[in-house]
Amino acid sequence: MIEVDRVSKRFGHLTAVDDVSFFVEKGEVYGLLGENGAGKTTTMRMMATILRPTSGDIRIRGYSVLSEPVEVRRRIGILFGGDVGLYSRLTARENIAYFGKLYGLADDALEKRVEQLGEMLHMSEFMDRRVGGFSRGMRQKVAIARTLVHDPDVILLDEPTTGLDVTAANMFRRMVAHLQEEGKTILFSSHNMGEIERLCNRIAIMHKGRLSYAGTIDALRDQVKMNDLDDIFMTMVEGGGR
Ligand SMILES: Nc1ncnc2c1ncn2[C@@H]1O[C@H](COP(=O)(O)OP(=O)(O)OP(=O)(O)O)[C@@H](O)[C@H]1O
Ligand SMILES: [Mg+2]
């Protein structure tokens, strides 16, 4: 479903992503791990056609980010952590609907979809309030709904739980499980090994732009003969991987 094929991205002299390949199956929840600056966000931006690979290609459901970006965009929803860039003068409902319009959803279908997302994310109480006064978790819910408004097959979540409290993080995990049941393919990045382990079987670990591991968490445990994921992670990044 997501095929990363020898992708590199250079910014001037800096190689942010260096010859990275991995594959995410349909219906899989796949983890992307790495320290700050490892190249996770850059990789996800290339998947979403926001950045163009310097070399290599990424295919989403067979569509190339290089030659078929419009097809790719239609099938992808992306959520970035941190400041999510909502319109503070619009309500939650209006923010979500605005994005649906950008994706060309018809008014009645859009109305239904927004309502459905509001229920799924437990946002009913604040759907018609302006986003300006929202807490971080409330804003994050709006951003998640916006990511899902066009019902994408592939969902990219870049550090989605940063800044969420325990309740919101739990809600998020249930949502991921729900999306997986719907057959969605999910790639999400995190620094939090515990969270990755709860949701994913397979992971990719990036270090300084390079891929240091791609495969199951179990196989990784066997390979390094350690149990604690934080220890494993440190070993993988200190050893530089390959
Ligand atoms: N638009 C850009 N111009 C120049 N350099 C960039 C740009 N975007 C990213 N980089 C650089 O590419 C490298 C990888 O950054 P990236 O944001 O992909 O890392 P990350 O793994 O997402 O890190 P974090 O965990 O901190 O979010 C960093 O050295 C970063 O400074
Ligand atoms: Mg990042």
Side-chain angles (χ1 to χ4, degrees), residues 133-149:
F134 281 14
S135 73
R136 192 181 166 113
M138 288 157 80
R139 297 176 74 89
Q140 189 72 350
K141 285 187 179 185
V142 180
I144 291 171
R146 191 179 65 174
T147 301
L148 301 177
V149 71

Side-chain angles (χ1 to χ4, degrees), residues 34-238:
E35 302 166 299
N36 294 130
K40 304 180 296 294
T41 299
T42 304
T43 302
M44 290 174 130
R45 294 197 136 160
M46 289 190 283
M47 289 174 180
T49 76
I50 298 163
L51 286 173
R52 194 179 162 85
T54 308
S55 62
D57 196 359
I58 300 173
R59 279 174 297 276
I60 305 290
R61 238 179 100 179
Y63 295 107
S64 156
V65 297
L66 293 175
S67 58
E68 296 154 299
V70 176
E71 297 294 339
V72 170
R73 251 170 255 153
R74 210 176 277 164
R75 287 165 181 88
I76 270 207
I78 185 158
L79 174 74
F80 292 108
D83 187 9
V84 288
L86 302 168
Y87 296 99
S88 52
R89 294 174 63 179
L90 299 184
T91 65
R93 189 186 302 278
E94 288 164 349
N95 263 284
I96 303 162
Y98 177 76
F99 264 75
K101 284 218 171 78
L102 291 184
Y103 279 107
L105 279 129
D107 284 348
D108 46 345
L110 180 56
E111 203 176 303
K112 265 193 214 135
R113 179 70 182 152
V114 174
E115 195 56 39
Q116 187 191 8
L117 287 166
E119 276 165 29
M120 180 179 131
L121 295 164
H122 306 286
M123 296 170 58
S124 306
E125 278 163 41
F126 53 87
M127 279 298 268
D128 295 301
R129 272 170 55 192
R130 284 191 189 181
V131 164
F134 281 14
S135 73
R136 192 181 166 113
M138 288 157 80
R139 297 176 74 89
Q140 189 72 350
K141 285 187 179 185
V142 180
I144 291 171
R146 191 179 65 174
T147 301
L148 301 177
V149 71
H150 57 302
D151 199 20
D153 293 332
V154 175
I155 300 160
L156 309 176
L157 305 166
D158 191 14
E159 292 184 45
T161 55
T162 307
L164 295 187
D165 67 15
V166 178
T167 315
N170 267 318
M171 191 269 326
F172 169 80
R173 275 193 289 273
R174 281 200 304 276
M175 182 196 76
V176 169
H178 175 79
L179 292 169
Q180 190 175 25
E181 277 165 23
E182 285 187 341
K184 307 294 187 190
T185 305
I186 300 167
L187 175 74
F188 89 98
S189 73
S190 180
H191 301 123
N192 184 337
M193 296 297 288
E195 183 170 84
I196 291 268
E197 187 167 34
R198 286 170 87 152
L199 291 168
C200 312
N201 291 320
R202 296 204 308 145
I203 57 171
I205 300 177
M206 290 182 73
H207 180 60
K208 295 186 177 160
R210 294 191 171 187
L211 189 77
S212 49
Y213 181 78
T216 67
I217 296 175
D218 287 345
L220 181 58
R221 280 214 167 90
D222 288 348
Q223 184 183 317
V224 297
K225 303 199 168 29
M226 289 181 193
N227 197 41
D228 184 78
L229 267 184
D230 286 316
D231 292 344
I232 294 174
F233 182 60
M234 287 315 295
T235 307
M236 292 309 288
V237 300
E238 278 164 5

